Amino acid sequence: MQLYIDTANIDEIKEAAALGVLDGVTTNPSLIAKEKIDYRRRLAEICEVVKGPVSAEVIATDYAGMMKEGREHAKIASNIVVKLPTTVDGLRACKAFSDEGVKTNMTLCFQPLQALMVAKAGAFLVSPFIGRLDDVAEDGMDLIHKMRQIYDNYGFQTKILAASIRHPKHIVDCALAGTDVATVPFGVIKQMLNHPLTDSGLKKFVEDYRKAFGG
Ligand code: G3P
């Protein structure tokens, strides 16, 4: 399973990239707003640090506006993926971009038929928001399982990118479900290597060695 970071914060991206296992980055308008920076300048900075796919979301919600904004985003670097909402206009833009050879990430996917439609339109990535489904007493992982089955039934190449990940258990469940990519907030990435038995075991190894041999 590939690991992306879900942030627009350049320090977090640099720190996560330094781990050596980061495959890409996702951003969204809310994450950019938190940073209070020029979106395109930040996207260019991110693309300098991470060579894998970097999702750049459009703000426009109409087809023509999405095409214009997406084309501008795509000029920033060759690893930019244009992120579009899963709406009627977004689907049209997805098809047009995929016909032009521009990769897309279809965001705000909340049900399996949205996933089927964007795959038919040639999306490179699709982002089911699992945490937000859990927030409204639905089952985010159930959507992932259904999407995996539909894509496998028909051999769709669109990658399932689990988004709105809130905790490590989501990542375990995604990996077991055959999710292609998980995009994870920095705080949760840091939790991925944690286990109290690792810490106590390491402490004991070092203490035992020092007791026997000094140092
Ligand atoms: O990038 C989209 C997604 O990951 C948002 O997550 O936590 O705002 O639901 P969240």
Side-chain angles (χ1 to χ4, degrees):
M1 186 172 70
Q2 291 197 316
L3 176 68
Y4 291 8
I5 187 168
D6 194 26
T7 184
N9 183 285
I10 196 72
D11 296 327
E12 290 183 352
I13 291 167
K14 284 181 181 164
E15 216 179 304
L19 295 172
V21 295
L22 188 70
D23 299 296
V25 179
T26 51
T27 61
N28 66 40
S30 304
L31 293 170
I32 286 290
K34 266 207 269 183
E35 298 298 312
K36 298 187 172 41
I37 34 92
D38 177 79
Y39 194 8
R40 294 213 173 104
R41 189 172 312 150
R42 176 51 53 88
L43 287 168
E45 277 180 90
I46 295 171
C47 291
E48 283 294 306
V49 178
V50 176
K51 296 303 166 198
V54 173
S55 288
E57 189 158 343
V58 298
I59 306 295
T61 54
D62 64 296
Y63 171 75
M66 285 185 214
M67 293 305 295
K68 184 171 179 290
E69 221 180 303
R71 285 194 180 112
E72 288 302 315
H73 285 344
K75 280 186 209 153
I76 295 170
S78 59
N79 53 330
I80 287 283
V81 172
V82 176
K83 197 171 175 189
L84 303 163
T86 305
T87 58
V88 170
D89 283 42
L91 186 80
R92 284 183 60 206
C94 173
K95 178 73 172 87
F97 277 124
S98 98
D99 288 347
E100 286 178 16
V102 174
K103 288 179 173 165
T104 54
N105 174 0
M106 298 308 289
T107 191
L108 293 165
C109 174
F110 289 99
Q111 54 107 331
L113 295 179
Q114 290 178 311
L116 177 65
M117 295 294 265
V118 301
K120 286 174 69 65
F124 172 64
L125 293 163
V126 58
S127 297
F129 276 33
I130 60 175
R132 291 194 195 181
L133 281 170
D134 293 353
D135 289 346
V136 293
E138 291 192 39
D139 184 351
M141 282 313 304
D142 181 58
L143 173 60
I144 299 274
H145 286 291
K146 286 177 174 152
M147 287 170 64
R148 181 74 285 153
Q149 183 166 349
I150 290 168
Y151 284 9
D152 290 351
N153 283 350
Y154 299 101
F156 285 121
Q157 295 303 301
T158 302
K159 290 179 195 295
I160 301 173
L161 185 162
S164 187
I165 282 178
R166 302 283 165 73
H167 47 70
K169 179 73 164 58
H170 271 151
I171 308 172
V172 175
D173 291 342
C174 283
L176 289 171
T179 308
D180 300 293
V181 191
T183 189
V184 182
F186 186 54
V188 182
I189 289 181
K190 287 198 285 190
Q191 289 177 280
M192 288 176 76
L193 278 173
N194 282 356
H195 198 286
L197 291 178
T198 305
D199 299 337
S200 59
L202 180 61
K203 189 164 173 279
K204 180 91 169 56
F205 283 156
V206 173
E207 278 168 7
D208 288 349
Y209 186 90
R210 287 197 174 134
K211 249 184 254 162
F213 303 108

